Amino acid sequence: MFEAGDRDFYSIAVFAGDGIGPEVMTPAKALVARACEKADAPAPQFEDLPGGAGTYQTLGSALPAASIDAARTADAIFLSAMGDPTVRYPDGTEITPQIDLRMEFGLFAGVRPVRTFPGMPVPLKDPRAQSLDIVLIRESTEGLFSPDAPGRVSEDEARETMLITRSVTRKLSNFGFEVARARAAKRSGTGQPGRLTCIDKANVFPAFAFMRSVFDECAKQYPDVTADHMYIDAAALNLVKRPWDFDVAITENMFGDILSDLGAALMGGLGFAPSADIGDGHAVFQPCHGSAPDIAGRGLANPTAMILSGVMMLEWLSVRFECPQTADAAHLLQAAVEEAYAGGTLIPTEAGGNHGTQDVADAIARALG
């Protein structure tokens, strides 16, 4: 990895993956590169790496060691979609190398923005639903997904174990507080303090009571951020009824998996929902959607989530390497996406329109210039 000013490019490890993955990755790479060019930011140097269900079928490994090594030395990882319901491991589970990357690099913070803007096909009729700005942060290495707490399956029963540790919960909580604090700073003058909500089920599960206690310990270090709690069932209800009341929220891995899709629905669908999985030294940027093999090769996939994941990647790189030009590139690309949708005439097939992958990409490219 380079330090700020050492050279004029970023090394980006690319996993185009399976199904619609390559279809949405191609325009996303082009638009990220164009935004960097316009902002005079370091150019992305993309390295395509094998990984996914197709790789498992041909090489016998869904995430070859050489791909992991290349991703480890890259400045960022750009991932499209991996997996195929028809390709499974011997135990019956699907191929999920994206989860393997989270475990390999300790990517504990799954950042799932829920951001809407005029022209997006949002399902809620309240005008406030057109300008949502929420950040859901899913712990991505523990909980019910933890490989360190494997389940047991016998002929008569199946059991799963949830693991929540103090060290990771502390890192997740502090990460969430820092995000809430930074967002409040951007709203300076509005009188809106940062707010972080811990979403759990502490009234039933001791593991979640433990998680809440660690969260409360961390909250003492952030007196400028409002800290509160909400049970998962109430959170799901309120995200539908009053999503504009949320600012930033953290939650366990499985709960976060579910709420991420709920958040994507508030945006109009998974094709609009970007994400990042961030650790202490690495980060993966990918859309929330899967590989959608049923529409692969038909040019129907919505590339917006992939492109917005590129915006998140540029934002992260700008902070990590203290490069304001890269922040400018992120802003240009975000603005281009918003401009493309602003008139309400760009409607991807996912939302019931007739604009396919290339139509959406071309509209954003025109707005970017």
Side-chain angles (χ1 to χ4, degrees), residues 89-113:
Y89 291 120
D91 66 359
T93 59
E94 284 190 40
I95 307 300
T96 55
Q98 61 271 41
I99 295 178
D100 297 336
L101 284 170
R102 294 172 196 164
M103 304 303 176
E104 180 71 28
F105 298 133
L107 308 179
F108 64 90
V111 182
R112 309 294 192 262

Side-chain angles (χ1 to χ4, degrees), residues 203-265:
N203 58 330
V204 175
F205 294 98
F208 283 116
F210 172 78
M211 178 181 178
R212 180 179 287 203
S213 70
V214 176
F215 171 83
D216 288 343
E217 289 173 9
C218 294
K220 297 174 184 177
Q221 305 169 46
Y222 297 89
D224 55 316
V225 177
T226 300
D228 60 11
H229 320 95
M230 194 175 296
Y231 296 140
I232 179 62
D233 43 345
L237 175 84
N238 290 323
L239 274 169
V240 173
K241 290 190 67 176
R242 302 187 59 81
W244 39 83
D245 286 346
F246 286 84
D247 183 15
V248 184
I250 64 168
T251 191
E252 178 269 340
N253 208 337
M254 177 62 82
F255 287 170
D257 190 23
I258 296 166
L259 292 182
S260 292
D261 278 17
L262 195 161

